[in-house]
Amino acid sequence: MRLRVDLLPHGNYPDVVVIIDVLRATTTAVTYLERGADALLLTATPEIALNLRTEGSPYLLGGERGGLPIPGFDFGNSPVEAAGQNFTGKTVVMNTTNGTGAAHTAAQSGKHIFLAALTNAHAAARRARAAATEEIAIVCAGTDEHVGLEDVYAAGVLAEYLLAMGEFSIDDGARIALTVRRNGGNPLEALGSSGHGQHLMRLGLGEDVRAAAGLSTSTIVPTLTHGDTPDGTLKFTVG
Amino acid sequence: MRLRVDLLPHGNYPDVVVIIDVLRATTTAVTYLERGADALLLTATPEIALNLRTEGSPYLLGGERGGLPIPGFDFGNSPVEAAGQNFTGKTVVMNTTNGTGAAHTAAQSGKHIFLAALTNAHAAARRARAAATEEIAIVCAGTDEHVGLEDVYAAGVLAEYLLAMGEFSIDDGARIALTVRRNGGNPLEALGSSGHGQHLMRLGLGEDVRAAAGLSTSTIVPTLTHGDTPDGTLKFTVG
């Protein structure tokens, strides 16, 4: 079994893909489902999300650009904000700067697509291991096409758990992620030292960084579910 | 001053760019100049290199694909092979899988372009620092669009030297490279544990890996030199 970590999204995935966007898309995605949402629809663009919200539609919209809420959206991609709400019976339409794009890239080729964060790291590693037949690719969403330390650190956390479960041949991306995880301090230190973590703290969103640093606080793993979904969207459920 | 490490080549560089392809393009480039070559011409494709060698042309061709020599080329991108030759008065035309492409990407926007390896790390850091006015971007060539541990390690070595010379604001790529450098063992251990290092050792090219792990054995820094060069080539000299 191969374990591969892409420090930024690449093209082609033969088997299992685990998308990581710790600050904050995948952390928030876990929280929406944790708080009762039926499903998440990840859209390729903000426009697709806005077009889904017609009169009487069952959708709530969550997303951000550059860490700030998108005009016309209901929620701002904040795990803290999401944790204070009840989403029972709702579908949340998500569009974010990096995480939703990474999911769309992965879905073009991968067989099984999961969303992972530090908050569901144990559960995500188990689900990935159970589904994989040849390769687990952990894909870091990054920030504006630049590598994000927080995602690489979280990829290292998942890689540690996977290596505990069995033998893998690993690539250089996994070696780098493991080195960052093993030497990058505790999760809050790692997230707080990342460029994007510092950006969020400057925006007054330090509580989101703190929430995203919680290790395995949830067992929910958002899972790509095929079926009838609006064009340009990917549907994730608890799987 | 900003210090940025791109773990793979990206698009846009405003100022100084230092290209790293430790195994083996930039290491071999340093060796060609160390051994007397007048200049290096880095070509975008192998075909451009082959077309330059007409009857009586002053060019020698060096390059590889997947670690192996290119048919019709004189040399195979090996620092050990290059170290045994005298290139005085010659121009070497180079085309390699990743390093030459990274140089062409960087040259589209960067103001000052240098080639760096572990073997010229001190000198390359000094040259970059002296030339920069706003940003030093260290660009890791990687292998077939995947991050190469050996390049990230070498980027961390350069970053360490640069931080010794002055204050920089650093990005997450630099943070990751510094972590890999500080925790990845000595240069030979780091190169030997990389996927590409292992590939070269399996091809019987372990001596090249050993040569590439020599720290600051040269003070030569290949420097992009503008002027009259054949189409599709970049000319590097000792600057």
Side-chain angles (χ1 to χ4, degrees):
Chain A
M1 182 81 71
R2 298 189 304 275
L3 171 59
R4 155 184 171 192
V5 174
D6 284 5
L7 305 190
L8 283 172
H10 284 291
N12 209 44
Y13 301 99
D15 191 7
V16 167
V17 189
V18 182
I19 311 283
I20 293 183
D21 187 3
V22 170
L23 294 174
R24 295 167 292 165
T26 55
T27 302
T28 308
V30 170
T31 311
Y32 285 138
L33 293 176
E34 185 73 54
R35 298 296 303 147
D38 282 346
L40 310 173
L41 291 180
L42 272 58
T43 70
T45 67
E47 291 70 32
I48 294 171
L50 285 166
N51 288 337
L52 284 173
R53 194 166 61 174
T54 52
E55 190 82 32
S57 87
Y59 300 130
L60 293 170
L61 270 52
E64 53 80 26
R65 275 295 172 281
L68 297 172
I70 300 174
F73 275 47
D74 302 291
F75 298 100
N77 193 34
S78 160
V80 169
E81 180 187 44
Q85 308 278 329
N86 183 342
F87 293 93
T88 303
K90 306 285 188 188
T91 291
V92 183
V93 180
M94 293 184 72
N95 183 265
T96 65
T97 313
N98 308 287
T100 54
H104 279 264
T105 299
Q108 286 169 16
S109 55
K111 281 187 196 149
H112 306 276
I113 317 282
F114 305 108
L115 305 184
L118 288 168
T119 55
N120 72 345
H122 274 113
R126 283 197 301 272
R127 287 288 297 281
R129 184 69 185 81
T133 56
E134 51 174 315
E135 178 181 281
I136 297 173
I138 302 175
V139 178
C140 301
T143 302
D144 300 327
E145 298 183 29
H146 282 75
V147 172
L149 177 63
E150 70 281 12
D151 294 334
V152 176
Y153 180 92
V157 169
L158 260 84
E160 284 275 25
Y161 296 160
L162 287 165
L163 293 176
M165 293 178 208
E167 298 277 326
F168 287 87
S169 66
I170 67 173
D171 75 348
D172 281 6
R175 291 185 185 99
I176 290 167
L178 286 163
T179 300
V180 167
R181 190 280 177 268
R182 290 167 181 166
N183 301 282
N186 69 37
L188 186 56
E189 288 166 345
L191 270 52
S193 70
S194 71
H196 196 56
Q198 292 172 7
H199 174 68
L200 291 172
M201 289 187 284
R202 281 193 298 272
L203 292 176
L205 297 166
E207 283 305 309
D208 275 352
V209 177
R210 196 175 305 275
L215 204 55
S216 295
T217 55
S218 173
T219 58
I220 281 179
V221 183
T223 302
L224 181 63
T225 307
H226 296 287
D228 192 28
T229 61
D231 280 353
T233 72
L234 300 173
K235 183 177 182 179
F236 286 79
T237 66
V238 293
Chain B
M1 182 83 69
R2 298 189 305 274
L3 171 59
R4 154 184 172 192
V5 174
D6 285 5
L7 305 189
L8 283 171
H10 285 291
N12 209 45
Y13 301 100
D15 191 7
V16 167
V17 190
V18 182
I19 311 282
I20 294 184
D21 186 3
V22 172
L23 293 175
R24 297 167 292 164
T26 55
T27 302
T28 308
V30 170
T31 310
Y32 286 137
L33 293 177
E34 186 73 56
R35 298 295 301 146
D38 282 343
L40 310 172
L41 291 179
L42 272 58
T43 71
T45 66
E47 291 69 32
I48 294 171
L50 285 165
N51 288 337
L52 284 174
R53 194 167 60 175
T54 52
E55 190 82 33
S57 89
Y59 300 129
L60 293 170
L61 270 52
E64 52 81 24
R65 276 294 173 279
L68 297 171
I70 300 174
F73 275 47
D74 302 291
F75 297 100
N77 192 35
S78 160
V80 169
E81 180 188 41
Q85 309 279 327
N86 184 341
F87 293 94
T88 304
K90 307 284 189 189
T91 290
V92 184
V93 180
M94 294 185 70
N95 183 265
T96 65
T97 313
N98 308 288
T100 54
H104 279 264
T105 299
Q108 287 170 16
S109 55
K111 281 188 197 148
H112 308 276
I113 318 281
F114 304 108
L115 306 184
L118 288 169
T119 55
N120 72 344
H122 274 113
R126 282 196 302 272
R127 287 288 298 280
R129 183 70 185 79
T133 56
E134 51 174 315
E135 178 181 281
I136 297 173
I138 303 175
V139 178
C140 301
T143 302
D144 300 328
E145 297 184 29
H146 281 73
V147 172
L149 176 62
E150 71 281 12
D151 294 335
V152 176
Y153 180 90
V157 169
L158 260 83
E160 284 275 24
Y161 296 160
L162 287 165
L163 292 177
M165 291 178 211
E167 298 276 326
F168 288 88
S169 67
I170 68 172
D171 75 346
D172 281 7
R175 291 185 184 98
I176 290 167
L178 285 164
T179 300
V180 166
R181 189 280 178 269
R182 290 169 181 166
N183 300 283
N186 69 38
L188 187 56
E189 288 166 346
L191 270 51
S193 70
S194 72
H196 196 55
Q198 292 173 7
H199 173 68
L200 291 173
M201 290 188 282
R202 280 193 300 271
L203 292 176
L205 297 166
E207 284 305 310
D208 274 353
V209 177
R210 196 175 307 273
L215 204 54
S216 296
T217 55
S218 173
T219 58
I220 281 179
V221 183
T223 302
L224 180 63
T225 307
H226 297 287
D228 192 29
T229 61
D231 280 353
T233 72
L234 299 173
K235 183 178 184 179
F236 286 80
T237 66
V238 295

